[in-house]
Amino acid sequence: ISTLTQQNVLCLTTMWVSNAMFANRSSMQLSRGDVEGNSDLLSSKEKGNLANFQDQVKAQEHEISILRWQIAQAHNDEMQLLKERYALERKVSELQMDLKKDDPFLSMMVCLRD
C-alpha cells in the first residue's frame, strides 16, 4: 500500500510541476505577442534587440523542453528502480520465511538479528 502511495505522490507532483510550467509559458507567449504586434512602432535598433531577445527566448524554451524530457526519463528510471527494489524486498522476505520454516536455530538467529 505504501508503494502505491509513493507512486501517486510522485505522479501528482510531476503533473503539478508540468501544469505550473505550462501556465508560465502561456503568459510569456501572450506578452511576447503584444510586443510583436507593436513592432512597427520600434526603431531598427530596438527591432534588432527584440529579435535577439526572441532568439534567446526560443533557445531557452528549447532547453526547457530538453530538461522536461530528462526529468520524465529520470522519473521513469526511478519508478523502475522502485519496482525492482520492492520485488527484491519481497523475495528476501519470502526467503527469510522459508529459512524460518526449515531450521529453528537459523530462525532464532534471524529473529535476533532483526
Side-chain angles (χ1 to χ4, degrees):
I1 295 174
S2 63
T3 304
L4 295 175
T5 304
Q6 290 172 353
Q7 289 175 350
N8 289 342
V9 168
L10 286 171
C11 289
L12 290 173
T13 303
T14 304
M15 287 179 4
W16 180 81
V17 169
S18 296
N19 289 340
M21 288 180 180
F22 180 75
N24 288 341
R25 185 174 178 202
S26 296
S27 65
M28 279 179 27
Q29 287 174 340
L30 289 175
S31 62
R32 190 180 335 136
D34 293 340
V35 171
E36 288 173 350
N38 295 323
S39 64
D40 55 338
L41 302 176
L42 302 175
S43 69
S44 61
K45 182 179 179 182
E46 290 171 331
K47 286 181 183 180
N49 289 341
L50 178 61
N52 185 27
F53 176 73
Q54 288 172 337
D55 290 341
Q56 289 176 350
V57 168
K58 286 180 185 179
Q60 288 175 349
E61 286 176 346
H62 179 68
E63 183 179 0
I64 288 169
S65 67
I66 290 171
L67 291 172
R68 283 183 182 166
W69 183 84
Q70 290 174 343
I71 289 170
Q73 285 298 112
H75 175 74
N76 290 338
D77 293 345
E78 183 179 5
M79 288 292 103
Q80 184 61 35
L81 288 172
L82 283 174
K83 287 180 186 178
E84 292 173 10
R85 174 187 168 193
Y86 295 131
L88 289 172
E89 286 177 353
R90 270 194 311 271
K91 186 70 172 174
V92 166
S93 178
E94 290 171 4
L95 290 173
Q96 286 178 343
M97 292 301 293
D98 290 344
L99 183 65
K100 287 179 182 180
K101 290 178 187 175
D102 293 342
D103 189 354
F105 178 74
L106 289 175
S107 173
M108 185 173 44
M109 294 299 289
V110 169
C111 287
L112 291 175
R113 188 190 62 156
D114 291 340

